Amino acid sequence: FEPDPQTIQTARKNLAGNHSITLIEAALGPSKARAKLHRGPLPETNSLLPRPDTRSRPYYPEKAVLTTGTLVDIVSIDEECSARNIEEVDLLKLDLQGGELGALKGAYEMLKGASIKAILSEAVFVRKYNQQPLLWELWQYLAEFEYSIYCLADVKTGPYDSADTSLRRIQWN
């Protein structure tokens, strides 16, 4: 699933001829819709969520401000699995720049039926996007379906950039 038209075009070019991968030009969310994809200086900072209010502490580098955007389709995991006759998912990997809880809500039936064996999700301790779910909110939602956290991996603790004022520098001190 990739909502950004430029990024999916690159993926299609790079994966041409690989028929075992299906690329879907859409974002994941709780249900079918359309929304603005906010773009950042790097494609990996694009998000359906804008940055938090400027009065809040910016836990992201100044150069990672989201500016322009484009309307994109949103689909749910339940809808896509049903349409494709997918009954089980071995691994669901989510790195959606704040859209993880929305995607999990769109997988309600799959989660309820324990049809997703394992979930690998990005999670944060401070909001870098407006209304971004924190780790405990993802954990709380998944606990309703008797999923639990197995481990925390690749915890980022270093500074975003070399600026002495980088707030990330002091998060784990």
Side-chain angles (χ1 to χ4, degrees), residues 106-147:
Y108 178 86
E109 293 299 326
M110 295 289 287
L111 293 170
K112 184 174 83 171
S115 300
I116 300 173
K117 294 179 185 176
I119 301 166
L120 176 62
S121 179
E122 180 179 48
V124 297
F125 299 95
V126 293
R127 296 185 210 296
K128 296 178 221 163
Y129 298 91
N130 192 32
Q131 299 179 350
Q132 179 178 22
L134 301 177
L135 171 65
W136 69 267
E137 293 168 290
L138 296 173
W139 189 352
Q140 183 178 42
Y141 183 74
L142 289 169
E144 293 176 31
F145 304 97
E146 299 185 19
Y147 285 83

Side-chain angles (χ1 to χ4, degrees), residues 8 47 49 97 104 129:
I8 200 159
S47 178
L49 303 175
Q97 303 310 110
L104 290 170
Y129 298 91

Side-chain angles (χ1 to χ4, degrees), residues 2 4 7-8 14 19 24 37 42 50 52 57 63 69 86 93 114 125 129 131 135 144 148 157-158 161 171:
E2 175 54 58
D4 182 58
T7 303
I8 200 159
N14 292 341
H19 302 292
I24 299 168
L37 179 69
L42 301 170
R57 296 174 71 176
K63 62 185 174 200
I86 297 171
K93 182 185 181 296
F125 299 95
Y129 298 91
Q131 299 179 350
L135 171 65
E144 293 176 31
S148 60
T157 60
D161 51 41
Q171 286 180 15

Side-chain angles (χ1 to χ4, degrees), residues 58-64 128 155-173:
Y59 284 97
Y60 55 90
E62 287 182 25
K63 62 185 174 200
K128 296 178 221 163
V155 177
K156 304 277 193 258
T157 60
Y160 279 111
D161 51 41
S162 60
D164 288 337
T165 58
S166 176
L167 292 173
R168 188 171 182 183
R169 185 181 307 276
I170 61 173
Q171 286 180 15
W172 285 79
N173 292 338

Side-chain angles (χ1 to χ4, degrees), residues 23-146:
L23 296 171
I24 299 168
E25 189 172 350
L28 289 173
S31 60
K32 190 173 279 199
R34 285 190 51 83
K36 181 179 180 182
L37 179 69
H38 303 273
R39 292 175 186 257
L42 301 170
E44 54 268 21
T45 63
N46 294 349
S47 178
L48 293 176
L49 303 175
R51 290 293 189 190
D53 187 300
T54 55
R55 293 173 295 180
S56 66
R57 296 174 71 176
Y59 284 97
Y60 55 90
E62 287 182 25
K63 62 185 174 200
V65 172
L66 301 179
T67 55
T68 62
T70 186
L71 282 178
V72 298
D73 291 324
I74 299 174
V75 297
S76 77
I77 292 169
D78 283 340
E79 293 165 338
E80 289 298 315
C81 286
S82 176
R84 297 173 192 303
N85 296 316
I86 297 171
E87 296 178 5
E88 269 191 354
V89 172
D90 291 328
L91 175 65
L92 175 62
K93 182 185 181 296
L94 302 173
D95 185 349
L96 307 176
Q97 303 310 110
E100 293 81 10
L101 186 57
L104 290 170
K105 288 182 177 182
Y108 178 86
E109 293 299 326
M110 295 289 287
L111 293 170
K112 184 174 83 171
S115 300
I116 300 173
K117 294 179 185 176
I119 301 166
L120 176 62
S121 179
E122 180 179 48
V124 297
F125 299 95
V126 293
R127 296 185 210 296
K128 296 178 221 163
Y129 298 91
N130 192 32
Q131 299 179 350
Q132 179 178 22
L134 301 177
L135 171 65
W136 69 267
E137 293 168 290
L138 296 173
W139 189 352
Q140 183 178 42
Y141 183 74
L142 289 169
E144 293 176 31
F145 304 97
E146 299 185 19

